[in-house]
Amino acid sequence: MRINTFFYGLITITFLLVSCSKDEILEERTPESADIQQEVSSKALKQIGTGVMMQAFYWDVPAGGTWWNVVKGKVSGWSNAGIDAIWLPPVSKAMNGGLSMGYDPFDYYDFGEYNQMGSTETRFGSRSELTSLITTAHNNSLSVIADIVINHNSGGDSEANIFTNSNTYTDYNPLSGLFERTQYDFHPNDYHNNDSGVFGGFADMCHHKSYVQDWLWKKSNSVAKYYKNTMKFDGWRFDYVKGFEPWVPKEFRNAVGGFAVGEYWDGNVNTLKWWTDQAQMSAFDFGCYYKMRDAFMGNNLNALNGDMLWKRSPTRAVTFVANHDTDEIINNKILAYAYILTHEGYPAIFYRDYEHWLDKNKMNNLIWIHNNLAGGNTTNLWTDNDEYIARRNGGSGKNGLVVYINNSDSWQERWIQTNWSNKKIKDYTGHSGWEPTTQGGKWVKIQAPPKGYSVWSLK
C-alpha cells in the first residue's frame, strides 16, 4: 500500500484522562441511508480463480467522484474478455476525504454519503454509484473484491491518552455513528503496547480487544458482515497484513466466507508460504514478482528458475506484474504477462497495463489462453539467459500448452517434448504461422519471435 497524507504528531500536553473501556458497548446501529438498496442480479457469478482478476484502479486515479462510473462502464467488456473478479480500492471515507485513495480510513460505514473529512463523496464517487457498480458487475457475472484496511486509522481527534501520558489523535466519532474508537482501541493500551507492526505515524488498531473484533467481524453489522450482506462484496483483499497476526484476516474471512488474499510484501517464499498456511488464504506472489523483475529487467531468464509461491502452493498464489504500489517491470512487460497468464496461480492484471499501456488485443489473447488452455501442473523444458520454455500438462478439461518466451533479438527455435503424440499443434498467439505435427515420441520443433513469445497447443 501507499499513503498520500501527513503523519500525525504527538502533542506533549500531559494530563490524565479517566475513561472506561468500551469492550461492553455492543449497541446495534445502522447508517441513516442503510435503506439504499438496489436489486442485485441473481445471475451466477464466475468462480473466482477460474479466470483472471482485474485490479480496477491505480494510484491517484482522477478525483472528483467519477471513478465508480468509469469502472462501471468497463465491466461488461472485462467480463467478455475473461475477467472473473474486480478488485476495488478502499471504498469508505478516509482522512483526506475526496482526495484520499482510501488507505487512511476514518469511517468504515461512510461510502460517500456523509459530509465529513472535507467531502461528502469519496474520491471515487457516492454510495449510490458504488452500489450501482457492484450491481452491474454482478449482472456481468463478476465478483467484487473489497480492499480491507484494518491495520491503522487516520483522522481521529486529539485526546489526552493515559497510556502515553500525552495527547494522541485516537478519538474517532464518525458521522455514521458506527465503530467509534478511542485510545483503548489502539496501541499502546490496557491490553498490550504493540502488535506485529505499525504503519508510519498512524493510529495502530489493536485487534486483540474484544470491542475491535466485535466491530470488525463479530457483530451482525460488523464491517465484515455489512460489506458482505448489505454492500454485497464477494471477496477481500487485506492491506498491509504484516501489521497484524495472520489470525486476524482468518477470523474476518471465517465470519463471512468469500475469496481472500493478503498483501504480505515480502519476496521470501518461505515467509509467504508460512503466512498463507496460518491465514488459510491466498497471498500476492511477491516471490514471483521479484524473480520476473530480475529476469526481464536484468535480461536473464534464468531468474525464472527461482523459488515462487505458485511453485509451492499454486492454489494460494495470486501472481501479478504490476500494481498501484509497485511497477518496476518496464522492459518487455508483455513477456511477464505471458509468463503469469500461462503458469499456475491466479493471475491479476493491472488497470493501466490493460487499459492504457499495453496492446489490449495481446492481453485479451493471453487471458483467453489462460482460461481455455492453461490446465494442469507445470514442467520446465528449457531455460537459459534468453529463452524460457515450459509445459502445462493439461487437466480440468484443458489440453495444456507449451509457452516459449524469447528475450533475444532474433527468432529462436527448439525441439521440445509435448504431451501429444502424432498431433497437429499451432501457436495460439498468431506470432508463428507454423502448424507442425508432433512425432510419435511427442517431440516437435517450435519457434518464438524476437522479444516475444508463442503459446502452443492442439489445433
Side-chain angles (χ1 to χ4, degrees):
M1 66 167 295
R2 175 168 54 177
I3 296 287
N4 190 17
T5 185
F6 60 88
F7 293 137
Y8 280 83
L10 294 178
I11 302 176
T12 57
I13 303 173
T14 57
F15 61 93
L16 185 64
L17 174 68
V18 179
S19 177
C20 63
S21 173
K22 301 185 297 177
D23 285 348
E24 292 80 28
I25 299 177
L26 300 175
E27 60 180 349
E28 299 288 333
R29 300 178 64 186
T30 55
E32 295 174 2
S33 56
D35 59 343
I36 298 177
Q37 296 291 334
Q38 288 194 330
E39 181 182 356
V40 176
S41 172
S42 60
K43 187 176 182 180
L45 302 182
K46 302 176 186 179
Q47 182 179 350
I48 296 181
T50 58
V52 176
M53 181 196 301
M54 172 67 74
Q55 181 179 358
F57 66 100
Y58 53 93
W59 196 258
D60 283 344
V61 301
T66 63
W67 191 249
W68 296 147
N69 287 335
V70 169
V71 175
K72 177 181 173 181
K74 294 184 180 295
V75 294
S76 175
W78 290 348
S79 181
N80 291 336
I83 301 300
D84 64 15
I86 59 172
W87 157 25
L88 300 184
V91 296
S92 64
K93 186 68 61 66
M95 183 268 168
N96 276 339
L99 299 177
S100 177
M101 284 296 295
Y103 291 96
D104 48 344
F106 173 75
D107 187 343
Y108 287 102
Y109 296 85
D110 180 359
F111 305 97
E113 60 204 288
Y114 298 103
N115 186 0
Q116 57 184 338
M117 298 293 112
S119 72
T120 298
E121 292 190 345
T122 68
R123 183 188 190 98
F124 314 111
S126 67
R127 174 176 176 141
S128 61
E129 290 167 340
L130 172 61
T131 56
S132 180
L133 163 58
I134 294 172
T135 299
T136 302
H138 288 161
N139 284 335
N140 285 276
S141 301
L142 297 181
S143 296
V144 185
I145 298 171
D147 203 320
I148 303 298
V149 187
I150 55 175
N151 174 72
H152 52 271
N153 289 169
S154 188
D157 294 326
S158 177
E159 63 176 344
N161 192 315
I162 64 174
F163 305 109
T164 63
N165 293 319
S166 64
N167 273 46
T168 56
Y169 292 95
T170 48
D171 185 18
Y172 285 76
N173 299 284
L175 284 181
S176 68
L178 302 173
F179 198 9
E180 297 175 345
R181 285 145 279 162
T182 70
Q183 59 194 276
Y184 288 91
D185 307 313
F186 300 97
H187 296 113
N189 57 35
D190 54 347
Y191 184 90
H192 58 187
N193 288 332
N194 59 273
D195 59 2
S196 295
V198 298
F199 188 86
F202 294 101
D204 187 56
M205 193 178 292
C206 178
H207 304 91
H208 288 83
K209 298 301 290 285
S210 60
Y211 177 84
V212 172
Q213 293 178 20
D214 287 336
W215 275 109
L216 287 182
W217 65 79
K218 289 184 176 180
K219 290 161 60 74
S220 62
N221 62 342
S222 63
V223 171
K225 292 173 184 175
Y226 195 89
Y227 280 44
K228 175 70 173 180
N229 300 326
T230 301
M231 300 306 294
K232 306 300 183 183
F233 281 102
D234 310 291
W236 324 102
R237 180 266 183 186
F238 291 96
D239 179 70
Y240 192 63
V241 296
K242 280 188 173 182
F244 41 82
E245 293 87 349
W247 64 263
V248 174
K250 179 181 178 181
E251 290 294 321
F252 185 109
R253 191 265 193 95
N254 285 346
V256 287
F259 171 82
V261 57
E263 180 212 32
Y264 199 102
W265 197 328
D266 198 313
N268 186 317
V269 179
N270 289 324
T271 303
L272 293 174
K273 180 65 165 58
W274 164 83
W275 189 87
T276 60
D277 288 345
Q278 294 295 311
Q280 292 292 293
M281 64 181 61
S282 297
F284 288 100
D285 194 347
F286 280 93
C288 177
Y289 172 78
Y290 286 121
K291 293 299 185 295
M292 290 193 299
R293 182 196 63 181
D294 295 343
F296 298 112
M297 296 303 293
N299 293 311
N300 185 358
L301 299 192
N302 287 300
L304 298 178
N305 284 335
D307 202 5
M308 305 176 189
L309 182 59
W310 75 257
K311 297 180 182 182
R312 302 273 201 97
S313 186
T315 60
R316 286 184 174 162
V318 176
T319 54
F320 67 100
V321 175
N323 63 29
H324 64 294
D325 278 332
T326 183
D327 189 8
E328 301 170 278
I329 304 173
I330 307 301
N331 297 340
N332 303 311
K333 182 180 279 189
I334 193 67
L335 302 187
Y337 275 108
Y339 182 85
I340 68 168
L341 287 163
T342 55
H343 284 66
E344 292 169 81
Y346 178 33
I349 61 177
F350 183 43
Y351 181 96
R352 301 214 78 172
D353 288 337
Y354 185 83
E355 292 290 341
H356 298 159
W357 292 335
L358 299 179
D359 186 324
K360 187 178 291 188
N361 290 326
K362 290 183 177 180
M363 292 291 286
N364 285 340
N365 171 250
L366 286 170
I367 294 170
W368 185 93
I369 286 170
H370 172 271
N371 293 351
N372 292 277
L373 301 177
N377 59 13
T378 304
T379 302
N380 179 261
L381 301 178
W382 181 271
T383 309
D384 64 20
N385 193 74
D386 294 323
E387 299 170 67
Y388 173 87
I389 307 174
R391 184 179 72 220
R392 293 294 299 276
N393 292 306
S396 301
K398 299 179 182 180
N399 288 326
L401 56 80
V402 175
V403 57
Y404 191 166
I405 297 175
N406 175 18
N407 200 37
S408 75
D409 294 322
S410 59
W411 280 86
Q412 299 294 330
E413 302 173 359
R414 288 211 176 267
W415 282 92
I416 54 94
Q417 189 173 31
T418 71
N419 286 324
W420 312 299
S421 179
N422 299 314
K423 298 290 185 180
K424 182 172 284 191
I425 64 172
K426 60 175 283 188
D427 171 21
Y428 276 83
T429 71
H431 295 153
S432 172
W434 286 7
E435 293 188 359
T437 299
T438 63
Q439 297 179 345
K442 303 180 181 179
W443 286 84
V444 70
K445 181 188 281 189
I446 58 174
Q447 62 174 184
K451 299 297 182 182
Y453 56 93
S454 54
V455 181
W456 305 81
S457 190
L458 294 175
K459 184 177 178 182

